Amino acid sequence: MTVLILTLGGSNSPPSHPTAPVSPVLLAVRHPAPTTPPTTPSPAPSASVPAPAVTAGTGPAGSLRTTGSAAVALTFDDGPWDDTPAVLDLLAQYHIKATFCMIGRQVAAHAALVRRMVAEGHTLCNHTWSHDEMLRTRPADRINAELQRTNDAIHAVVPGAAIGYFRAPGGNFSPQLVSTAAGMGMTSIYWSVDPQDWRGPGVQSIITNVLTNTRPGSIVLLHDGAGPQTVTALRTILPNLASRYTLTALPDPDSHGNA
């Protein structure tokens, strides 16, 4: 895979993505180094559609580990990026809705992709502005700025779009992160299936991990910024899962229960 892998902050944080997630994890992505941390918020966004009510789950710091129903949710982190169009094409081919956890600093340069996500019925998720894996240790104003600046960037492209979910970089949640997201109307989401496609483990490894470990209610973690292996694996994963489960974008958190 001809991509540049750059490990963002937190290399000594909790262990890398486990197959059966029980604790916060690391995440390496092929993005440029974080820009200067935001100190002032972007201009206020247009009025947005009311976000779903926030729900606590059984994941780290109360994040959601499952969908709370028999439906399976596919989630894609670290975009919008070069492989996002191919992911969207495959989702459209199989009539599947997914959830995209976007890095704020990448939104403006890929505005057309964000508009396409909304137009095609996918769910939007805040994945912070700079993908700082140590964000949970930062001051409250830095945490607030990372989340708010991302929401503002998304709303600058798709005014009025609902951003009902938040995923901490690397899954490194803390009560403060979850609380801050909740204050902005966002429910924090973790995952229950992680093929670690960001490592480039090979197409068959990604396929086998997802197909073997997905159960009713699973939240599957994938990356549209991980490189072509994920796209190739999806050609097998999507029709297989669609034949066995109802695949959905994350629904209104009110339906989750104790997820």
Side-chain angles (χ1 to χ4, degrees):
M1 177 176 68
T2 57
V3 294
L4 172 61
I5 303 294
L6 176 61
T7 303
L8 299 176
S11 59
N12 293 319
S13 292
S16 298
H17 297 313
T19 298
V22 294
S23 62
V25 296
L26 295 177
L27 179 64
V29 293
R30 58 166 186 163
H31 307 307
T35 54
T36 302
T39 56
T40 58
S42 302
S46 303
S48 62
V49 173
V54 172
T55 301
T58 60
S63 57
L64 295 183
R65 190 185 298 274
T66 68
T67 65
S69 72
V72 170
L74 300 180
T75 64
F76 293 90
D77 280 15
D78 303 334
W81 206 246
D82 295 345
D83 295 310
T84 306
V87 171
L88 288 170
D89 288 346
L90 285 168
L91 292 172
Q93 178 181 343
Y94 292 102
H95 309 288
I96 294 168
K97 309 302 181 189
T99 299
F100 286 87
C101 299
M102 294 183 286
I103 296 176
R105 69 184 181 195
Q106 296 171 196
V107 167
H110 299 88
L113 292 176
V114 180
R115 295 188 189 100
R116 180 180 173 186
M117 290 173 191
V118 172
E120 295 182 0
H122 301 293
T123 294
L124 305 184
C125 171
N126 183 319
H127 199 37
T128 76
W129 177 260
S130 66
H131 202 280
D132 178 3
E133 291 191 10
M134 295 299 292
L135 186 62
R136 64 183 177 177
T137 70
R138 310 304 186 197
D141 58 348
R142 167 74 180 276
I143 292 173
N144 186 79
E146 285 271 339
L147 274 61
Q148 187 63 56
R149 191 175 181 185
T150 299
N151 280 353
D152 290 351
I154 294 171
H155 281 142
V157 172
V158 282
I163 309 170
Y165 295 91
F166 166 72
R167 178 174 277 158
N172 294 330
F173 286 99
S174 69
Q176 184 176 20
L177 275 177
V178 171
S179 176
T180 300
M184 296 180 184
M186 297 184 292
T187 296
S188 294
I189 55 171
Y190 196 61
W191 57 81
S192 49
V193 178
D194 175 15
Q196 299 192 4
D197 58 334
W198 57 275
R199 290 183 180 274
V203 171
Q204 191 56 51
S205 174
I206 297 169
I207 293 171
T208 300
N209 190 307
V210 172
L211 298 187
T212 300
N213 293 301
T214 298
R215 302 285 186 273
S218 291
I219 295 177
V220 181
L221 172 64
L222 293 161
H223 296 79
D224 53 330
Q229 286 188 2
T230 299
V231 174
T232 302
L234 284 172
R235 296 190 179 104
T236 299
I237 290 170
L238 295 183
N240 184 292
L241 291 184
S243 71
R244 295 190 288 143
Y245 303 102
T246 296
L247 299 180
T248 182
L250 284 170
D252 186 326
D254 283 340
S255 68
H256 286 296
N258 189 27

